[in-house]
Amino acid sequence: MDTFALVVTVGVALFFTYTNGFHDSANAIATSVSTRALTPRAALLMAAVMNLAGAFLGSGVAKTVSEGLIETPDGQSGMAILFAALVGAITWNMITWYFGLPSSSSHALFGGMVGAALAGGIAVYWSGVLQKIVIPMFVSPVVGLLLGYLVMVVIMWMFRKANPHKAKRGFRMAQTVSAAGMALGHGLQDAQKTMGIVVMALVIADVQDHGQIPIWVKISCALMLSLGTYAGGWRIMRTLGRRIIELDPPQGFAAETTAASVMYTASFMFHAPISTTHVITSAIMGVGATKRVSAVRWGVAKNIVLGWFITMPAAAAVAAVSYWAVKLVMA
């Protein structure tokens, strides 16, 4: 196996993690920044540190990505498939970042993997894609929406007699904790996805067998995700923090707590790689609906949901074209 191909593929995987960080940093901190619980730079620094910590909390999601979605390909063609999958995901990340659309980096990666696998003629484990990707893609936003609504209703009932100004001040402080929980969950979910890809590359290169993730892979993926997070994703932060609904501190706390809970459950109980973008966006909608249904800007929400549906096929198409281009160059 060409060592150069391995180095390039791992490098592109780490760059994908970096784009994932600045693309999805808004997930963890947009609500805290919009409610002025945290300044943007303080929020980004906190998110970067917690992303780094979260990357070391487990490996179940990485195993799902490396073994449960597509057949592990062989040789130079296999490395080309991984490379093309990453190009498809990165391309879609950059397009959606440019337009400020909070689409899922995770589903861009999964779409890229499926598209490149189909173009390369290797097996796609459709049962794994259905059970670990498609079903959670639909279930997690619904859970986020309903749970966000219920958590906010409980908060409103518990603090119905509290002084509004004191309550908001308290929740502004509590948001520091809930935002940290979101960032920890983001690291737990998203760093592991790239770890799974790097492990696949090492297996293809016959450097190691499937199994434990080398410590250098964990550290590299965690650092790149943290660096990307600190670079910030201001366009998407504006969409999540302001355009869906104007949030106050209790609503921000409820949305972040809800999203973090869903992510930890998916990671530890089901080893399912869910989208942090889907979960926090739906939680914000659920929380906002407690004010009144019309308070949520459903037109913006509709565009975001449309982005969810086109992410996987769009990334798959780019990955397929990238694979054919790589094969032409290699021929």
Side-chain angles (χ1 to χ4, degrees):
M1 168 54 61
D2 187 353
T3 304
F4 177 74
L6 173 61
V7 171
V8 168
T9 303
V10 171
V12 174
L14 294 176
F15 179 67
F16 166 75
T17 308
Y18 180 84
T19 68
N20 189 343
F22 76 69
H23 190 278
D24 289 0
S25 59
N27 296 340
I29 60 174
T31 52
S32 295
V33 172
S34 70
T35 61
R36 296 180 176 83
L38 294 168
T39 64
R41 280 297 164 199
L44 283 168
L45 180 60
M46 179 273 295
V49 171
M50 298 307 287
N51 274 182
L52 186 65
F56 292 92
L57 289 183
S59 60
V61 170
K63 186 174 181 180
T64 296
V65 172
S66 64
E67 299 179 38
L69 304 180
I70 65 173
E71 176 188 359
T72 302
D74 297 320
Q76 281 195 327
S77 178
M79 204 63 78
I81 287 171
L82 280 192
F83 177 83
L86 290 163
V87 169
I90 291 169
T91 301
W92 188 248
N93 267 0
M94 298 306 291
I95 291 170
T96 51
W97 168 81
Y98 181 80
F99 289 104
L101 180 65
S103 70
S104 167
S105 294
S106 305
H107 290 97
L109 178 60
F110 304 143
M113 291 174 69
V114 170
L118 292 174
I122 66 169
V124 175
Y125 301 140
W126 292 110
S127 61
V129 172
L130 177 65
Q131 294 171 18
K132 296 294 187 180
I133 306 301
V134 176
I135 291 176
M137 181 174 75
F138 286 99
V139 171
S140 58
V142 173
V143 172
L145 182 76
L146 296 177
L147 192 58
Y149 183 89
L150 291 174
V151 168
M152 193 62 216
V153 167
V154 169
I155 287 174
M156 289 166 65
W157 182 82
M158 289 178 63
F159 291 88
R160 65 191 184 280
K161 295 180 181 178
N163 181 292
H165 296 295
K166 287 184 178 180
K168 284 186 178 182
R169 194 158 51 241
F171 276 108
R172 202 169 267 128
M173 295 171 62
Q175 269 198 276
T176 306
V177 178
S178 60
M182 265 294 297
L184 193 70
H186 181 226
L188 173 64
Q189 274 280 333
D190 285 33
Q192 283 192 51
K193 292 159 190 169
T194 306
M195 290 178 201
I197 294 292
V198 173
V199 167
M200 285 186 77
L202 295 174
V203 171
I204 293 170
D206 205 23
V207 173
Q208 73 165 61
D209 296 324
H210 277 298
Q212 293 297 315
I213 303 168
I215 188 66
W216 70 265
V217 173
K218 289 187 177 183
I219 292 172
S220 300
C221 292
L223 282 174
M224 291 304 290
L225 185 70
S226 293
L227 288 172
T229 297
Y230 191 68
W234 305 108
R235 293 172 185 266
I236 294 170
M237 197 184 301
R238 198 157 43 241
T239 299
L240 281 178
R242 293 289 184 185
R243 289 181 60 204
I244 296 175
I245 186 172
E246 296 282 345
L247 294 173
D248 60 22
Q251 291 171 329
F253 174 81
E256 290 167 344
T257 302
T258 296
S261 300
V262 174
M263 284 191 291
Y264 295 140
T265 302
S267 298
F268 291 121
M269 291 186 65
F270 304 107
H271 298 161
I274 64 170
S275 167
T276 53
T277 307
H278 290 187
V279 175
I280 187 61
T281 306
S282 59
I284 289 172
M285 292 179 193
V287 165
T290 59
K291 185 182 291 185
R292 62 182 186 281
V293 174
S294 60
V296 179
R297 299 185 180 103
W298 295 105
V300 175
K302 181 190 72 174
N303 292 336
I304 292 171
V305 172
L306 286 174
W308 295 354
F309 280 100
I310 65 174
T311 289
M312 284 188 70
V318 175
V321 171
S322 300
Y323 175 77
W324 293 322
V326 170
K327 291 300 287 184
L328 280 175
V329 172
M330 292 170 60

